[in-house]
Amino acid sequence: MFGKMTRIALCFALVFSLFAGAQQVAAAEYEVKIAYENNPGEPTDVGVQEWARILKEISGGKVEAVLYPSSQLGAKKDVLEMILMGSNVITIADAGFLMDYVPDIGIMYAPYLTDTYDEYFTLVDSPWFKKQMDAVAGHGFEIVTAKWIYGDRHLLANKAVKTPKDLAGLKIRTPNMKILSKTIEYMGGIPTPMPLGEVYPAIAQGVIDGAENPYPVLWGAKLYEKAKFLTPTGHVKNVSMWLGSHKYFASLPPEIAGFIKDAAEKACLFVNENVKKDDVKAIENFRNAGVEIVEPDMEAFRKAVFPIYEELWGKELYEEVKKNMTK
C-alpha cells in the first residue's frame, strides 16, 4: 500500500514538474508596460488589448504587454518621466505633448489643420515627419506608432455653446499641453489643464465648466452626469502617438523592437476601422442620457483659432506642412 502511494505521489510530482517546466518555457522573455489614462471598455483600451494580443501572437510569446489603464502608473507627466529614464513603458501621447521638446511637431495637433485623416496619414509618411521623428529621438523618446486615431475632439459643457462668444468665462479642462490650452483660449474659453481622472469631480464641484475630448472619452468618463450640453466642434483631428524610451528600444534586439512596432501598426488598423462606429454609439448614449446636442457655428470657430498658426509657428511652416499633406 505504501509503495503504491509513493508511486502515485511520484507521478503527481513528475506531472507538476513537467507543468512548471512548460510554464517556464512559455513565459515571455520580454515584458513591456503600456500605460494610458483611458478607462476599461473605452475604444483606446479595447485597441490596446488587441495590440497585446497581436504582439503575443507575432512574437511567438516572446514579448508580453502588461496593460495599465485608468492612469494606474500615474498621470501622463509621471509616465513620460519614467520613459525618459529608460523604463520599459509605452504611453499614449500626442504631437501637442512633444511640442515642448520639438516645437514644429506641435503643428500636427493644431486646430482645424485638416478635414481628413487621410491627409494626416500622408503627412506621417512624409520626409518632413521623418525629420520630426529623428528630433524626438534626440530628446529621449521613441515614436512606436503615429497613426492611432483617437478621434475628433469636441466640447461638453454645463451650458450651450454655439459660438466662441458662448465660451466666454467658461473654464474648460484640457490636457497639460500648450497647444490645446491655446486652442481653447482662441475659441473663447478659459483653458484649465488637469489630469483626465480629476475632471469628473472638478465639474461636479464647479471648479470647471466643461471639458473637450472625443465622444467616447467624454462618455467613458461619465461627464454627461454633470455637463448636459455637447457641441461637436471637431476642433482637433486627434491622431495619437505611442511613445516609448529611445534608450529602451535601442537596448532591445531589433527583432523584439520590430515585434512591438509591427503589432502597434496592426492595432492601429483595428482601432481606426471602429472610430466612426464608436462615435455613433457614444452620440446615441448621450442622447439617451438627456444631453443636448448643440449645432456650432463652425466658420466662427475656424476663424477664431486661425491666428494660432502665426503666433506659434509662422506662415512658412504652415504652408510646408499643408504641402506635405497633399503629396
Side-chain angles (χ1 to χ4, degrees), residues 129-148:
F129 185 71
K130 177 60 169 62
K131 292 179 183 178
Q132 307 309 309
M133 289 183 70
D134 292 341
V136 166
H139 287 277
F141 293 108
E142 182 87 6
I143 297 178
V144 179
T145 181
K147 292 185 176 181
W148 186 289

Side-chain angles (χ1 to χ4, degrees), residues 126-296:
S126 73
W128 178 86
F129 185 71
K130 177 60 169 62
K131 292 179 183 178
Q132 307 309 309
M133 289 183 70
D134 292 341
V136 166
H139 287 277
F141 293 108
E142 182 87 6
I143 297 178
V144 179
T145 181
K147 292 185 176 181
W148 186 289
I149 296 179
Y150 196 68
D152 291 8
R153 300 183 78 95
H154 308 286
L155 288 171
L156 183 69
N158 55 17
K159 64 168 284 188
V161 175
K162 184 177 177 62
T163 69
K165 289 182 179 180
D166 297 327
L167 264 177
L170 295 189
K171 296 179 180 178
I172 304 298
R173 178 268 175 181
T174 66
N176 189 23
M177 68 167 74
K178 181 179 180 180
I179 179 60
L180 263 181
S181 290
K182 279 287 183 181
T183 296
I184 291 299
E185 184 180 313
Y186 273 101
M187 288 174 71
I190 302 172
T192 309
M194 67 175 61
L196 184 60
E198 297 178 10
V199 177
Y200 185 96
I203 294 179
Q205 296 165 16
V207 176
I208 59 175
D209 301 293
E212 56 80 56
N213 237 309
Y215 295 132
V217 180
L218 295 170
W219 175 260
K222 298 185 178 181
L223 305 184
Y224 59 89
E225 294 180 355
K226 302 299 177 182
K228 294 292 187 179
F229 298 91
L230 179 66
T231 307
T233 50
H235 47 279
V236 174
K237 285 211 169 302
N238 191 164
V239 180
S240 290
M241 301 176 185
W242 287 91
L243 304 179
S245 164
H246 184 63
K247 179 179 179 181
Y248 169 67
F249 271 86
S251 73
L252 293 173
E255 179 188 42
I256 300 302
F259 286 146
I260 296 172
K261 292 184 177 181
D262 288 347
E265 291 293 323
K266 287 180 171 63
C268 282
L269 297 176
F270 170 82
V271 169
N272 296 351
E273 286 176 359
N274 289 286
V275 167
K276 288 185 178 180
K277 181 180 68 176
D278 293 331
D279 279 354
V280 169
K281 182 178 179 181
I283 292 174
E284 182 181 351
N285 287 338
F286 279 123
R287 292 187 189 279
N288 292 336
V291 173
E292 180 180 336
I293 311 297
V294 182
E295 187 67 29

